Amino acid sequence: MGLLLLLTSTLLSSYFHPGSVVNAQHMFTIRDISLSVEPSTDVTRGTNVTVRCQVTVSSSGQEALSREYTIFKDGSIVYTKTTSSSEDFLYLLPEARVSNSGKYKCKINIEGKQSTSDAKKLSVTGLSKPDLHLNKGVVTEGEELTARCMAPGETGSIFFYFYDNSEEVQEKRVNSNQAVAELRFSSIGNHKIHCAYTVLITPDSFKSEESNSVTVSVKEISITPVLEISPQYKIFEGDRLNIFCSVQTSQHSTENMLLYLSEGTSLLSSGTTKVNHSMVALAKAAGLMFECRMEMGHLVKTATKTLPVTELFSAPTLTMSPAEVFQREPMTLTCKSESFASERLQRKELTYTLYSLGNPLNSGDTGVFSGKALQHEFNYTCTARAKGIEKHSETLTVRPRVFVSAPKISVYDKAILGKPIQILCESDTGSLPINYTLWKGYHTEGTTRVQMPFQKALFTVSISKPEELNKYMCEANNGREEGLLGARLTANVTVPLTHAMLSVLPALQDISEEGHLNLICSVQGTPPVTFKWYRVGDPQPLNATTSDNVYKDYEFPVISKAHSGKYYCEAFNHANNIVRSNEVTVEVRMAVWKKALIGGICLLIVTVLVLVFGLYFRSKRVRVDRAAVSVWSERKPEAGNDEENSMMSNEPDVEYTEVVHPRSADPARVPLRKGTDTVYSELQNSPHGFGRVR
């Protein structure tokens, strides 16, 4: 244990030796980075150019930082270096070339921290003059020579061009400053060879001046192809031709030699030293073109001849009569050659054949064929023959026409009385063109010719009565002697609405609360009709409905005083003319039961009042009458009237009183018996009625 402690202390003392300091992590920041091009951004070829990268770094320690510099050209890395120097970083371009042109940037990386400068564009102008070298100055036909073109000191992607007498013959692209081309010459004589090059710097290119010119002498090889044709003159179709292809040479070897004999693009024969071919002459507009071609290595020589051939007879033409034919109608096809060589051929020697698979026609005179047209299109061709020569006509396509069917007549869009009406005539089948004629009774209204598939035969007419429309008919014709007449027009005519009227049920004077109200709108015109009811002052309709009748009602099931007001209706049909009715003023009266109730109450009140007042006055008069009777009975006889008293004493025991009738001023004597009840009863029964007692 003690030994272990000793070793540990020794290690620690050696690690923390006097004079050594543990390095803390450096603190730094990249303050700025810039790039410059010296001596200038625009220089000429051969200038020593320096790309300078300047970086400003702030650091907390004295120890140098490891810096990684990267130089970019046009976005690609061209140089990378790591250094601990704080000096400017230099990228040298000694003797700059055009290929050094481009945009340069500098990037620095210090312990993971990076910074990149702005780009600077370097332009280098001027290219070196190209230098041309040839390995031979004299060659023979077809012999190959080597040409080398150099661009001294240039670098990059370069295109080299080689010229023969100012005509470009080859192009080479390389990544070096020289290119090699193998050249051959097919024509004898002197050839001036030079070259040039172009340095490609995307997106620009720079072309050099022309190189030195070198003359090459090309000598002929004593080998000549020979082409012979027999016969050579007055050749007609059908004549036999013999063609020979060979070579003529004096000293040169014919080893590795090939001969090709061709007519136009057709290879007739091939061989080594001699080729021949026999054929029947055919007429061509430009004549027969023959070629004898010799190939020996890279050497090619040709001999050509053009041989005119007179046509024995022309290619036949196939025609049809009549020019247009209908299905299953007779037709005639004629096959004929318009011209022939009379010195070699008679017309009767020409024979014609018609090819019509599936529809054979009868053959009459020479080249004339007859039959009936099919129900569908069919192709025909014919052939003319004479002296072994056969020529074909162009294909004739017969498209039988279809007779037009009976036309149908209809109204296009709508028929509205008082407005222009368009009538459409059309047939289900029939070949175009078709002539359509519109009839009204026994008079024609016009004719329209339909020539395109989507064209319509439309006629514009006007009528004053709906029944006039039934007088129109269509006639169609596309080649018949007489056209086909269709049926008469049957269509509905919309009569615009008129005479809109609003009426009400019940009668205006009978409209009362808690009853119903029907607003009836009626018009004259063609249904269906759309009705709308309005209350004056309200732009929104109360109701809108469409009816198949010319009248319609709108009902208020239960009405009140709030329904009083002015009402009107509007209506329209397919003619789209809106008509407005008269305005009707509706006044909702009080309900009948309310009137009866008010009358009964009033009558009851009056009755009660009458009874009350009657009883009141009756009781008052009875009291008055009783008082009068009492006063009369208490009156005594006077002394001066003895005679009268004597008389009264002799009469029965009856008392009299004078009663004045309300309607008379004269008093009446009314006997009163003794006793109040008796007096009252007699007064009651008196013909004078109640009165005032004196």
Side-chain angles (χ1 to χ4, degrees):
M1 185 66 182
L3 181 59
L4 180 60
L5 291 174
L6 180 60
L7 290 173
T8 302
S9 61
T10 303
L11 290 173
L12 290 174
S13 61
S14 63
Y15 184 77
F16 294 104
H17 190 274
S20 66
V21 180
V22 178
N23 292 330
Q25 184 178 6
H26 285 175
M27 300 296 293
F28 68 91
T29 181
I30 301 174
R31 296 174 57 187
D32 184 45
I33 181 171
S34 62
L35 181 140
S36 60
V37 178
E38 301 170 357
S40 173
T41 55
D42 296 310
V43 297
T44 58
R45 171 183 176 275
T47 303
N48 293 326
V49 176
T50 300
V51 177
R52 182 182 298 275
C53 183
Q54 294 176 309
V55 180
T56 303
V57 178
S58 296
S59 174
S60 62
Q62 299 297 323
E63 186 176 350
L65 298 172
S66 177
R67 309 181 183 202
E68 180 185 52
Y69 290 93
T70 304
I71 303 297
F72 295 87
K73 175 179 176 289
D74 296 328
S76 299
I77 298 175
V78 294
Y79 188 69
T80 299
K81 184 178 180 181
T82 301
T83 179
S84 59
S85 174
S86 60
E87 298 293 329
D88 293 346
F89 180 75
L90 305 180
Y91 175 61
L92 303 179
L93 298 173
E95 297 185 359
R97 297 290 185 263
V98 170
S99 59
N100 297 128
S101 299
K103 292 182 179 179
Y104 289 85
K105 289 195 298 184
C106 173
K107 184 178 79 171
I108 188 171
N109 184 349
I110 304 176
E111 296 182 7
K113 289 186 178 181
Q114 299 180 357
S115 184
T116 304
S117 70
D118 293 333
K120 288 293 182 68
K121 184 176 181 180
L122 170 64
S123 296
V124 181
T125 58
L127 294 172
S128 61
K129 183 177 180 178
D131 188 13
L132 177 66
H133 295 277
L134 304 180
N135 66 337
K136 295 179 183 179
V138 179
V139 294
T140 57
E141 289 180 288
E143 186 179 357
E144 187 175 83
L145 65 79
T146 301
R148 182 183 300 274
C149 186
M150 293 181 293
E154 301 300 335
T155 59
S157 180
I158 303 177
F159 285 87
F160 284 93
Y161 307 94
F162 295 87
Y163 298 86
D164 177 9
N165 293 331
S166 300
E167 182 180 351
E168 183 182 324
V169 291
Q170 278 199 42
E171 175 185 314
K172 297 282 186 178
R173 179 176 181 176
V174 295
N175 289 319
S176 63
N177 64 349
Q178 59 179 308
V180 176
E182 305 297 333
L183 305 179
R184 301 181 190 88
F185 305 94
S186 57
S187 60
I188 60 175
N190 292 330
H191 294 258
K192 290 185 177 181
I193 311 300
H194 72 272
C195 69
Y197 66 91
T198 296
V199 178
L200 181 63
I201 303 174
T202 306
D204 301 319
S205 61
F206 302 89
K207 190 170 184 179
S208 72
E209 59 180 311
E210 294 181 354
S211 71
N212 55 307
S213 180
V214 180
T215 301
V216 176
S217 178
V218 181
K219 295 182 178 181
E220 183 181 10
I221 296 179
S222 58
I223 297 178
T224 304
V226 178
L227 178 62
E228 298 176 320
I229 303 173
S230 177
Q232 296 186 15
Y233 306 104
K234 293 186 179 181
I235 302 172
F236 289 85
E237 279 185 308
D239 291 349
R240 178 64 59 178
L241 296 178
N242 295 310
I243 308 103
F244 302 93
C245 176
S246 61
V247 294
Q248 182 180 356
T249 180
S250 57
Q251 299 177 351
H252 203 282
S253 172
T254 58
E255 187 178 0
N256 299 327
M257 182 186 296
L258 290 175
L259 294 177
Y260 299 95
L261 177 61
S262 59
E263 187 271 312
T265 58
S266 299
L267 181 62
L268 303 178
S269 184
S270 63
T272 55
T273 58
K274 191 173 184 180
V275 176
N276 60 73
H277 182 74
S278 179
M279 61 178 289
V280 174
L282 297 176
K284 291 185 178 181
L288 297 177
M289 300 180 64
F290 294 96
E291 179 186 75
C292 177
R293 180 183 179 90
M294 181 213 72
E295 294 182 2
M296 188 171 62
H298 297 293
L299 178 63
V300 176
K301 289 191 174 185
T302 60
T304 59
K305 283 187 178 181
T306 299
L307 191 66
V309 179
T310 302
E311 190 176 49
L312 191 62
F313 58 90
S314 62
T317 56
L318 185 60
T319 58
M320 180 184 71
S321 63
E324 291 184 343
V325 63
F326 285 88
Q327 293 175 337
R328 298 193 177 282
E329 285 201 337
M331 67 175 183
T332 300
L333 301 183
T334 302
C335 183
K336 183 180 180 181
S337 293
E338 297 296 334
S339 63
F340 64 96
S342 57
E343 60 268 42
R344 290 288 188 94
L345 183 67
Q346 296 182 2
R347 183 172 289 278
K348 63 181 180 180
E349 295 182 72
L350 281 169
T351 60
Y352 300 96
T353 304
L354 181 69
Y355 294 95
S356 56
L357 297 177
N359 185 34
L361 301 181
N362 299 324
S363 177
D365 295 337
T366 303
V368 179
F369 307 89
S370 61
K372 288 189 175 182
L374 300 178
Q375 289 184 312
H376 55 84
E377 68 177 41
F378 202 83
N379 293 330
Y380 298 90
T381 58
C382 73
T383 301
R385 294 184 182 87
K387 293 188 176 183
I389 304 298
E390 185 176 287
K391 294 184 179 182
H392 301 278
S393 71
E394 293 184 356
T395 300
L396 172 66
T397 300
V398 177
R399 296 180 175 87
R401 289 173 56 80
V402 180
F403 279 117
V404 68
S405 60
K408 297 177 181 179
I409 187 169
S410 61
V411 171
Y412 193 75
D413 198 11
K414 299 176 183 178
I416 300 175
L417 189 67
K419 293 185 178 181
I421 300 172
Q422 285 192 311
I423 295 178
L424 173 65
C425 295
E426 58 182 349
S427 297
D428 292 334
T429 59
S431 299
L432 299 175
I434 301 174
N435 292 327
Y436 291 97
T437 302
L438 182 67
W439 290 80
K440 183 179 182 181
Y442 298 100
H443 303 283
T444 60
E445 295 290 313
T447 299
T448 296
R449 186 177 180 86
V450 174
Q451 303 185 58
M452 304 299 292
F454 301 104
Q455 186 179 353
K456 296 183 182 298
L458 293 173
F459 301 89
T460 302
V461 300
S462 296
I463 59 175
S464 58
K465 298 178 181 179
E467 54 269 20
E468 287 185 33
L469 203 62
N470 299 330
K471 297 181 180 181
Y472 290 97
M473 295 182 294
C474 284
E475 179 187 333
N477 195 338
N478 67 342
R480 294 179 185 269
E481 293 182 0
E482 293 184 358
L484 285 178
L485 198 62
R488 290 183 179 273
L489 176 59
T490 302
N492 295 323
V493 179
T494 299
V495 178
L497 300 182
T498 56
H499 300 91
M501 184 176 69
L502 182 67
S503 56
V504 298
L505 280 180
L508 291 174
Q509 64 272 17
D510 297 333
I511 299 174
S512 61
E513 291 179 310
E514 299 185 5
H516 70 279
L517 174 64
N518 288 77
L519 302 178
I520 304 171
C521 189
S522 61
V523 294
Q524 292 182 6
T526 302
V529 180
T530 298
F531 295 93
K532 293 183 179 181
W533 290 265
Y534 293 88
R535 184 171 183 173
V536 174
D538 188 356
Q540 297 299 321
L542 301 172
N543 188 35
T545 185
T546 301
S547 174
D548 291 329
N549 298 316
V550 292
Y551 58 87
K552 188 67 177 177
D553 71 304
Y554 174 62
E555 181 182 12
F556 295 97
V558 179
I559 59 175
S560 63
K561 280 286 188 178
H563 290 91
S564 297
K566 292 183 178 181
Y567 295 88
Y568 68 93
C569 69
E570 290 182 349
F572 64 90
N573 63 358
H574 290 315
N576 291 327
N577 66 311
I578 300 176
V579 292
R580 177 169 171 166
S581 73
N582 55 303
E583 293 182 0
V584 175
T585 301
V586 174
E587 181 179 353
V588 181
R589 304 177 185 276
M590 185 180 296
V592 175
W593 68 268
K594 289 185 179 180
K595 293 181 179 179
L597 179 62
I598 294 173
I601 293 173
C602 292
L603 182 60
L604 179 61
I605 293 174
V606 171
T607 302
V608 170
L609 291 175
V610 169
L611 290 175
V612 169
F613 281 107
L615 292 175
Y616 172 77
F617 284 113
R618 179 179 294 179
S619 61
K620 185 174 181 181
R621 286 171 184 170
V622 169
R623 287 195 300 269
V624 170
D625 291 342
R626 287 180 177 178
V629 171
S630 177
V631 171
W632 180 265
S633 61
E634 292 177 358
R635 179 184 296 178
K636 293 180 178 181
E638 295 180 358
N641 293 335
D642 294 337
E643 184 178 352
E644 184 177 352
N645 293 336
S646 175
M647 292 177 63
M648 290 179 61
S649 62
N650 295 324
E651 292 181 358
D653 191 8
V654 176
E655 292 182 2
Y656 293 85
T657 185
E658 291 182 355
V659 180
V660 181
H661 193 272
R663 292 185 297 271
S664 177
D666 298 329
R669 289 179 60 84
V670 179
L672 296 175
R673 292 183 177 89
K674 295 178 181 180
T676 303
D677 294 335
T678 303
V679 174
Y680 179 80
S681 175
E682 289 180 356
L683 288 174
Q684 280 277 77
N685 296 324
S686 173
H688 302 284
F690 290 99
R692 178 168 51 87
V693 180
R694 288 185 177 181

